[in-house]
């Protein structure tokens, strides 16, 4: 069961949802920082492009009623 949990944690880390923390209070302890999903998968450039596409689409709809 622990191997399954470790495998899931590794996959979440590979996909950018978790980040290992180096601060350990206990020797065998592992700490992780959970990233916000949208920030982990989408960067600012993609969001800006999406915003521009939405603005253009909205402008077209307003023009065509």
């Amino acid at each position: 069961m622990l191997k399954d949990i470790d495998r899931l944690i590794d996959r979440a880390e590979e996909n950018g949802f978790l980040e290992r923390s180096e601060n350990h209070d206990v020797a065998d302890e592992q700490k992780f920082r959970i990233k916000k999903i949208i920030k982990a998968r989408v960067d600012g450039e993609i969001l800006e492009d999406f915003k521009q596409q939405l603005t253009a689409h909205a402008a077209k709809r307003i023009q065509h009623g």
Side-chain angles (χ1 to χ4, degrees):
M1 181 169 165
L2 288 177
K3 286 183 182 182
D4 292 335
I5 293 171
D6 285 340
R7 195 173 313 120
L8 290 171
I9 289 172
D10 288 342
R11 282 185 32 203
E13 194 175 8
E14 288 169 10
N15 288 319
F17 299 115
L18 290 178
E19 184 176 283
R20 270 184 215 272
S21 173
E22 298 299 323
N23 300 335
H24 304 290
D25 297 332
V26 180
D28 290 338
E29 181 180 69
Q30 291 184 3
K31 289 186 179 182
F32 296 89
R33 183 175 154 263
I34 300 171
K35 296 182 178 181
K36 293 182 181 180
I37 292 174
I38 200 77
K39 285 187 176 180
R41 304 300 281 176
V42 179
D43 65 9
E45 185 177 323
I46 292 171
L47 288 175
E48 184 60 35
D49 184 48
F50 183 62
K51 178 182 170 186
Q52 289 175 0
Q53 289 177 23
L54 285 176
T55 302
H57 180 71
K60 285 179 186 177
R61 288 189 54 96
I62 290 171
Q63 289 175 350
H64 297 293

